[in-house]
Amino acid sequence: MSSSPANPRNVESRLAPRFHQALVAMPRSPDESHTEDWAMALVADAVQWKASDIHLEPGTLETRIRLRVDGVLHDVAVVPNFSGHRMVAFFKTLCGIDATALARPEHGHGTMETGGILMEFRTTVAPTPDGEMVGMRLLNTKRPVLQLDGLGMAEMDQSRLRHWLDGRQGMLLVCGPVGSGKTSTLYSMLRELQSLPCSIVTVEDPVECNLDGITQIQVNAKRGLNFPEAIRAMLRLDPDYLLVGEIRDPESAHVAITAAGTGLTVLSTIHARDAVGAVTALRNNGVKDWEISAALGLCLAQRLVRRLCAQCRTRAPLTDEERRWFSENALEAHAMLWYGKGCDTCAGTGFDGRVGIFETWRLDADASKLILHGADAATLASHAKATGTRFLLADAVNKVRDGLTALSEIRFLGGLAS
Ligand SMILES: [Zn+2]
């Protein structure tokens, strides 16, 4: 086993400069205060690179430290377990988790101020044979909410959303997997509504960002406040708009759709692959076709992909494999493709931040009729296309062509309709 505090093999130390500096400055026999220095340095690095998560993963001899930046986990340091365990203990205490060895996973939360920013952690600690693994989600509830036109949405998709905001016709559902930026999009929409003389309430788990002039409530399952309970309570406040963080079970689906049926404007998110998939997801949660048909107004599907670093992006001819991807997806191959070489601005990753891929489906009278008569997803998709919806894959390919992202980032959308 190496006696050095950090083993730099296969790690992207450029993402954790302060942490590595703290390791180098470490005396031979570090004490508790050094552990705190390490932890603070790691959090400062995470904040600098806008990491969403910090992982401490113990192995047989060493603990791997990783940051999730723009959706991708990067190894940033490997330290001996002796040091790793101390850091685990530090973060457990910070997040109010029992300091003794855990028999089962525990959750906690805590805060730390770094560079004038108060970061909030939602932490899970799980016992493994090699020690306790820590996963910390970083929340900056004071971060600025992006404007609708800062999300990377094409003109047509933006205009569909604005049209919905003006007319408030039916429920709006944002569809996509975990971590696809659904909540950020909803916040951007609320930002547009903030200035209007209306009452807006939200029910969230957790409240990811504090918004002025909007009443936000956090679901708290431990205290018996679940989504349906919280929604019912907020409805008594007589709001004009209700944001439900997520439709995740039949009960929350029922309460949200009932609220929408009473004329209230409801915005929410649901796990679905694409826009028409929202209908299937609602059906799977026990919502009846006539209820969906009456309530649903607009579905927006989205993903987040990494944005190419503007400082080091460059173009190259396609490889045979890339050319094949285009033909397999019945798409015309571009002449050249953009990729990121890696530079100091992007810590060598070639990417800097993320950009959304979107698909908006505005439900017209015919779409509502189709749902009422039980139309399947394929039928709804062809109707959506016929009425001007541009699908996720098509939007993604446009963004590759424009050099906003790389083909490697959107390949996972292959197989979706274009
Ligand atoms: Zn770069």
Side-chain angles (χ1 to χ4, degrees):
M1 177 181 156
S2 159
S3 61
S4 69
N7 182 343
R9 69 187 140 74
N10 293 331
V11 298
E12 292 189 34
S13 56
R14 280 195 281 182
L15 283 170
R18 293 178 188 80
F19 182 69
H20 280 267
Q21 216 169 12
L23 288 177
V24 170
M26 188 69 51
R28 279 208 164 272
S29 35
D31 61 25
E32 292 306 324
S33 70
H34 295 108
T35 307
E36 185 171 346
D37 289 347
W38 279 3
M40 303 265 293
L42 182 62
V43 172
D45 287 330
V47 169
Q48 185 197 336
W49 292 104
K50 297 191 178 70
S52 59
D53 303 80
I54 297 175
H55 287 202
L56 305 179
E57 301 176 3
T60 323
L61 299 173
E62 295 168 319
T63 298
R64 205 149 55 131
I65 298 174
R66 315 172 91 186
L67 298 182
R68 187 181 293 282
V69 177
D70 295 336
V72 177
L73 265 181
H74 297 273
D75 291 6
V76 297
V78 178
V79 299
N81 272 346
F82 168 75
S83 310
H85 292 169
R86 282 186 158 199
M87 287 185 67
V88 168
F90 174 84
F91 283 119
K92 277 173 74 179
T93 309
L94 181 75
C95 297
I97 297 172
D98 191 349
T100 58
L102 301 178
R104 52 182 212 165
E106 293 276 349
H107 309 286
H109 55 88
T111 57
M112 188 189 267
E113 198 184 317
T114 173
I117 301 171
L118 185 69
M119 295 304 297
E120 204 176 309
F121 307 120
R122 291 208 143 204
T123 301
T124 300
V125 182
T128 78
D130 295 317
E132 290 171 337
M133 187 203 150
V134 175
M136 300 202 295
R137 167 64 47 92
L138 274 62
L139 297 171
N140 171 7
T141 55
K142 296 279 188 286
R143 73 171 196 275
V145 172
L146 286 175
Q147 282 182 312
L148 209 46
D149 51 16
L151 301 173
M153 202 177 277
E155 202 61 49
M156 184 196 69
D157 293 320
Q158 268 192 60
S159 98
R160 286 185 162 197
L161 282 196
R162 288 189 200 284
H163 187 266
W164 180 86
L165 282 168
D166 289 342
R168 299 209 250 151
Q169 276 160 357
M171 181 179 196
L172 177 137
L173 276 183
V174 185
C175 318
V178 172
S180 56
K182 302 188 291 289
T183 307
S184 298
T185 300
L186 286 182
Y187 279 162
S188 300
M189 297 192 70
L190 291 190
R191 195 184 145 142
E192 303 264 317
L193 298 169
Q194 253 171 328
S195 56
L196 300 178
C198 58
S199 157
I200 306 171
V201 299
T202 78
V203 177
E204 303 171 72
D205 181 24
V207 169
E208 289 181 28
C209 204
N210 297 321
L211 299 161
D212 283 342
I214 291 176
T215 310
Q216 295 171 281
I217 186 173
Q218 186 153 314
V219 165
N220 190 334
K222 270 188 190 161
R223 293 191 182 167
L225 185 65
N226 56 22
F227 265 110
E229 292 276 343
I231 295 168
R232 282 191 204 102
M234 292 307 253
L235 288 178
R236 286 183 214 116
L237 293 175
D238 183 32
D240 300 297
Y241 290 90
L242 167 70
L243 183 154
V244 177
E246 188 187 351
I247 291 181
R248 59 167 66 157
D249 52 43
E251 205 182 354
S252 55
H254 182 73
V255 177
I257 216 105
T258 307
T262 63
L264 179 68
T265 306
V266 178
L267 304 86
S268 190
T269 71
I270 197 161
H271 281 259
R273 202 172 70 142
D274 50 21
V276 299
V279 175
T280 313
L282 287 170
R283 284 171 174 160
N284 289 344
N285 274 300
V287 184
K288 301 278 184 293
D289 285 340
W290 66 266
E291 292 174 306
I292 303 172
S293 156
L296 206 55
L298 185 90
C299 295
L300 167 75
Q302 74 172 83
R303 300 287 189 278
L304 282 179
V305 295
R306 289 185 294 169
R307 187 190 286 271
L308 278 170
C309 171
Q311 301 301 318
C312 66
R313 67 170 192 171
T314 183
R315 285 203 286 183
L318 279 71
T319 62
D320 288 345
E321 212 221 332
E322 287 165 342
R323 204 172 294 283
R324 204 159 44 240
W325 184 88
F326 279 93
S327 85
E328 278 167 6
N329 286 287
L331 294 161
E332 198 181 324
H334 305 162
M336 303 276 271
L337 279 180
W338 293 93
Y339 71 97
K341 281 191 299 189
C343 67
D344 286 343
T345 304
C346 59
T349 60
F351 296 96
D352 185 12
R354 289 196 280 180
V355 62
I357 303 286
F358 300 96
E359 164 181 313
T360 50
W361 177 36
R362 194 167 60 195
L363 283 83
D364 59 7
D366 287 338
S368 301
K369 220 177 280 172
L370 283 170
I371 295 169
L372 186 60
H373 293 119
D376 62 10
T379 309
L380 295 174
S382 43
H383 177 76
K385 186 162 188 175
T387 51
T389 293
R390 190 181 45 210
F391 293 136
L392 284 170
L393 183 57
D395 189 42
V397 168
N398 283 349
K399 282 168 178 150
V400 166
R401 179 199 60 209
D402 296 342
L404 285 171
T405 190
L407 182 65
S408 55
E409 288 292 296
I410 68 146
R411 291 178 74 112
F412 72 100
L413 291 171
L416 286 184
S418 62

